[in-house]
Amino acid sequence: KQWYQRRVAITAGAVGFEHQSDLSKHGSQTDAAKGFGGKHGIQKDRMDKSSVGFDHKADLSKHASQTDASKGFGGRYGVQEDRKDKSAVGFDHQAKLSQHTSQTDAAKGFGGKYGVQQDRKDKSSFGFEHKSEPSKHGSQTDGAKGFGGKFGVETDRVDKTSHSFDEQSKTEQYKTKIDAKGDVKNFRSRFENFGAAAEEENKRKVEDEKRKRDQEFKKQVEAAKKKEAAAADQEKEEDRSKDQEKRNEEKRKKYRLRLCVDTTA
């Protein structure tokens, strides 16, 4: 049975510890003429185009100013003016400032030949010699208008709630109808109602006062009971402590008596 199991394991692809597999060799190990550093050296057709050796020396291309002495900045013909930046100037450059219009034409500008240009002056600007004239009120220009003018106060523009001192207003008398019989009956019933309401108010006050006294008495009784209970508890506690003290004293006496007996024996 063991032999049969070993046979099945071998057929399933399992190998033992003594098994040694034969590894296939690389192409550079089987043929010395191939590979990196073989018989014929490195295979140039398979070498990376960007890879170079330590003995490689790159040939740097020269600038146009190095190949042709007549070109470039400072060449045979100096700086190439057609390629120079328009905003670039040398240290010997002197800029010419354009003059203001008042400098080129003496007849223009503030204080020129003809003085200040009035057509271009700000409308709100005035000189020190300017004197402003305030506009007059309507009652100053036309004597027939305004309060107290030619025709007096303009009544069409007077406030409706305003009155003069000479105005006399009429008061209207308020008229009421009085029923004598009805008024007497109403007065009697009103007086009786006042008396009943006063009695009800007095009864209510008496009841409220009685209720307050009862509540106050109950509070006092409860407080007295609590005080008596607390005093009784305190008295019991004192009695209990005295009894305990007596028992402890008796125990101490018995213990001392026993010690005396033992020492004499």
Side-chain angles (χ1 to χ4, degrees):
K1 186 176 181 180
Q2 291 178 357
W3 177 83
Y4 177 76
Q5 290 177 353
R6 190 180 300 127
R7 185 71 177 175
V8 171
I10 291 171
T11 55
V15 296
F17 292 103
E18 67 279 0
H19 175 73
Q20 293 182 357
S21 59
D22 295 332
L23 301 176
S24 59
K25 293 183 179 182
H26 189 259
S28 61
Q29 294 175 327
T30 56
D31 188 358
K34 294 181 179 180
F36 295 96
K39 182 178 181 180
H40 303 288
I42 297 173
Q43 293 172 326
K44 298 291 184 180
D45 57 338
R46 299 185 182 181
M47 186 175 66
D48 190 359
K49 294 180 181 181
S50 62
S51 63
V52 293
F54 291 102
D55 54 349
H56 175 74
K57 293 182 180 180
D59 295 331
L60 301 177
S61 59
K62 293 183 179 181
H63 190 259
S65 61
Q66 295 174 326
T67 57
D68 189 357
S70 62
K71 294 182 180 179
F73 295 96
R76 179 188 294 179
Y77 304 105
V79 178
Q80 293 173 325
E81 298 292 339
D82 58 336
R83 300 185 182 182
K84 186 176 69 170
D85 190 359
K86 294 181 181 180
S87 61
V89 293
F91 292 101
D92 55 348
H93 175 74
Q94 292 182 357
K96 295 180 180 180
L97 301 176
S98 60
Q99 292 182 349
H100 191 259
T101 310
S102 60
Q103 295 175 327
T104 57
D105 189 357
K108 294 182 179 179
F110 294 97
K113 184 177 180 181
Y114 304 104
V116 178
Q117 294 172 324
Q118 299 294 333
D119 58 336
R120 299 186 182 181
K121 187 177 70 171
D122 191 359
K123 295 180 180 180
S124 61
S125 62
F126 301 98
F128 294 101
E129 69 281 355
H130 176 73
K131 293 182 180 180
S132 61
E133 295 180 359
S135 60
K136 294 183 178 181
H137 191 260
S139 60
Q140 295 174 328
T141 56
D142 190 357
K145 293 182 179 180
F147 295 97
K150 182 177 181 181
F151 303 103
V153 179
E154 293 176 329
T155 56
D156 58 335
R157 299 185 182 182
V158 176
D159 191 358
K160 294 180 180 180
T161 59
S162 63
H163 302 280
S164 60
F165 293 101
D166 56 351
E167 183 179 359
Q168 294 181 2
S169 61
K170 296 180 180 180
T171 58
E172 295 180 358
Q173 187 176 1
Y174 183 72
K175 296 180 181 181
T176 57
K177 294 181 180 181
I178 301 173
D179 189 1
K181 294 182 180 180
D183 289 341
V184 172
K185 292 180 180 179
N186 293 333
F187 181 75
R188 182 176 180 181
S189 61
R190 194 179 302 116
F191 183 75
E192 291 176 355
N193 291 333
F194 285 158
E199 290 179 1
E200 291 292 334
E201 184 67 21
N202 293 331
K203 288 181 181 179
R204 188 179 60 80
K205 290 182 179 179
V206 170
E207 290 177 357
D208 292 341
E209 189 67 25
K210 185 178 180 181
R211 191 182 303 107
K212 290 181 181 179
R213 286 198 300 269
D214 293 341
Q215 291 178 357
E216 188 68 24
F217 180 72
K218 288 180 180 179
K219 289 181 180 179
Q220 292 177 0
V221 171
E222 291 177 357
K225 288 182 179 179
K226 290 181 180 179
K227 189 174 182 180
E228 290 177 359
D233 294 338
Q234 186 176 2
E235 188 176 356
K236 289 180 181 179
E237 186 67 26
E238 291 177 356
D239 294 339
R240 192 180 297 108
S241 61
K242 287 180 181 179
D243 293 340
Q244 186 67 28
E245 186 66 26
K246 287 181 180 180
R247 286 194 294 271
N248 293 335
E249 186 65 27
E250 290 178 357
K251 287 181 181 180
R252 285 195 292 272
K253 288 180 179 180
K254 290 180 180 180
Y255 180 72
R256 286 197 295 270
L257 183 60
R258 189 180 301 163
L259 288 176
C260 292
V261 171
D262 292 341
T263 53
T264 54

